[in-house]
């Protein structure tokens, strides 16, 4: 087992989930409650990674952060390193790639909160921010949990984007899905099987947790 | 304690959907005590409450509270005043009650007092739960208590913040006759203590006669009549009495 790849994948997925929690909550709030007539365009952009081939997304991220791009040049100037084929570049690409897996469950959960509760909170003197933290967040816990877990799991399993943006640098951008690919290329099926089994078991557990959360088992436990 | 003498409302609001148009044009003044807005579904009763509370913005008009010689404008389309709902300091009991399901009864009732120090908040919550005869429910969640108890919690929550006016949207519609009578008695006692304008929306005639000091009847967004219940709803009252006699109640 390539523990270095396992650790790197865990670090990448944790950071992606954390960033998507911070960025995804306000974005999902806006999607759930905005009455802007062109909102569907933003929703379509957020959902793009669901249908785009990872290579297409990876290609455009590579172009955007490559050495010839303004962002790439700026990054190189300040850090002395290339943005593409770095952990940071991989992190940006992974955040974009997993965006809908966090934002959509958040937005669905927010939209399901009874509007009368929000009105009651407002009449009782709470601002929108206070209502978000005191009413919307606690009542959307299962959706938020599902979004965080799904974005983590999706990052763990990503392959095309990693290969395009990160390459295959051990300890820097080599994740477990790339490691499995490497092992198969080397005809080391036993090692590939070990890592693949780990991913399979992990994915099964994650999906079980998400479905359990959707059945609101957690809410029952949390309220005890 | 100085209380607002009246709530003056003059509002217009239009809604247009593909196959349906609705326009609301009303003007009335509600002094301290209960004013009932009576009318069929779709006559604009809830829309009026939502405009007063700041949950909906009227197209034009003015909403103001007159407290002694002082006037507090909540909405004025001419001078472009439109206070946000969370700064109007009004009480609102929703038709669905809108109790927060993840909070206990005492947390629900204390929700609007979050700026107070904890001991002060607890004291005020305990006192109002006592006055509504529900201190034993303080640690229960709303889904664990009866409809009548939920009603009392909603009323306590809306009154504990000492609102300048109270808006009640068909609060007793889902209750049985006995529970309704008890809560009406509580409401009458409450309006004797808190001399604030109370706007009570209903389409139930028995509630109008049990509670209303004044009644405003509405139809299709306009006021049809206003005055005391016995004047305004004389015909309906006779019909209600006949129905009650027929039912042997």
């Amino acid at each position: 087992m390539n523990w270095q790849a396992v650790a790197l994948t865990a670090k990448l997925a944790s950071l992606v989930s954390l960033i998507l929690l911070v960025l995804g909550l306000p974005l999902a709030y806006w999607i759930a409650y905005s009455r802007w007539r062109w909102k569907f365009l933003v929703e379509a952009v957020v959902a793009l990674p669901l249908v785009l081939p990872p290579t297409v997304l990876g290609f455009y991220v590579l172009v955007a952060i490559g050495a010839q791009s303004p962002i790439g040049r700026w990054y190189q100037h300040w850090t002395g390193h290339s943005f593409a084929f770095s952990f940071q570049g991989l992190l940006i690409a992974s955040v974009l790639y997993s965006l809908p897996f966090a934002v959509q469950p958040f937005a669905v959960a927010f939209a399901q909160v009874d509007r009368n509760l929000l009105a009651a909170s407002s009449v009782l003197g709470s601002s929108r921010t206070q209502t978000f933290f005191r009413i919307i967040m606690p009542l959307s816990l299962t959706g938020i949990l599902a979004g965080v877990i799904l974005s983590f799991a999706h990052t763990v399993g990503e392959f095309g984007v990693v290969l395009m943006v990160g390459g295959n640098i051990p300890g820097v951008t080599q994740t477990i899905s790339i490691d499995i690919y490497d092992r198969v290329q080397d005809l080391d099926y036993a090692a590939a099987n070990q890592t693949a089994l780990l991913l399979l078991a992990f994915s099964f557990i994650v999906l079980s947790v998400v479905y359990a959360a959707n059945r609101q088992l957690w809410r029952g436990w949390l309220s005890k | 304690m100085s209380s607002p003498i009246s709530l003056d409302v003059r509002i217009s609001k239009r809604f247009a959907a593909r196959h349906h148009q609705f326009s609301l044009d009303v003007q009335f003044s509600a002094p301290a005590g209960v004013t009932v807005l009576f009318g069929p579904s779709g006559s604009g009763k809830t829309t009026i409450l939502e405009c007063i509370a700041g949950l909906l913005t009227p197209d034009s008009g003015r909403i103001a509270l007159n407290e002694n010689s002082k006037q507090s404008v909540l909405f004025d389309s001419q001078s472009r005043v439109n206070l946000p709902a969370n700064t109007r300091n009004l009480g609102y009991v929703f038709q669905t009650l809108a109790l927060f399901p993840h909070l206990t009864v005492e947390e629900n009732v204390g929700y609007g007092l979050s700026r107070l120090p904890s001991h002060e908040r607890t004291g005020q919550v305990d006192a109002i739960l006592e006055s509504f005869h529900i201190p034993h429910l303080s640690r229960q969640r709303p889904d664990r208590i009866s409809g009548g108890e939920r009603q009392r919690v909603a009323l306590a929550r809306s009154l504990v913040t000492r609102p300048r006016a109270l808006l009640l949207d068909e609060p007793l519609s889902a209750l049985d006759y006995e529970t309704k009578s008890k809560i009406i008695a509580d409401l009458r006692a409450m309006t004797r203590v808190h001399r604030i304008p109370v706007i009570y929306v209903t389409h139930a005639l028995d509630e109008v006669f049990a509670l209303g000091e004044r009644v405003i009847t509405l139809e299709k967004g306009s006021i049809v009549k206003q005055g005391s219940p016995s004047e305004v709803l004389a015909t309906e009252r006779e019909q209600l009495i006949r129905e009650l006699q027929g039912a042997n109640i």
Side-chain angles (χ1 to χ4, degrees), chain B residues 6-24:
Chain B
S6 67
L7 172 65
D8 295 335
V9 178
R10 172 173 54 81
I11 46 173
S12 297
K13 175 110 186 131
R14 269 148 197 62
F15 297 97
R18 191 170 287 173
H19 301 294
H20 178 69
Q21 279 203 332
F22 175 76
S23 82
L24 177 79

Side-chain angles (χ1 to χ4, degrees), chain A residues 116-117 121-123 125-126 134, chain B residues 86 90 96 102 111 114-115:
Chain A
N116 277 336
L117 299 182
S121 172
S122 177
V123 171
S126 288
R134 298 177 72 187
Chain B
N86 64 324
L90 305 175
T96 59
H102 60 300
Y111 188 89
S114 56
R115 288 180 195 88

Side-chain angles (χ1 to χ4, degrees), chain A residues 90-145:
Chain A
L90 181 58
L91 185 61
I92 301 277
S94 300
V95 165
L96 291 175
Y97 189 47
S98 291
L99 188 65
F101 290 85
V103 171
Q104 288 192 346
F106 295 169
V108 168
F110 293 168
Q112 282 174 348
V113 176
D114 180 357
R115 299 289 169 119
N116 277 336
L117 299 182
L118 311 187
S121 172
S122 177
V123 171
L124 287 164
S126 288
S127 66
R128 282 186 189 184
T129 312
Q130 287 166 332
T131 299
F132 179 75
F133 285 108
R134 298 177 72 187
I135 305 296
I136 299 173
M137 279 269 284
L139 292 176
S140 307
L141 269 186
T142 52
I144 293 171
L145 184 70

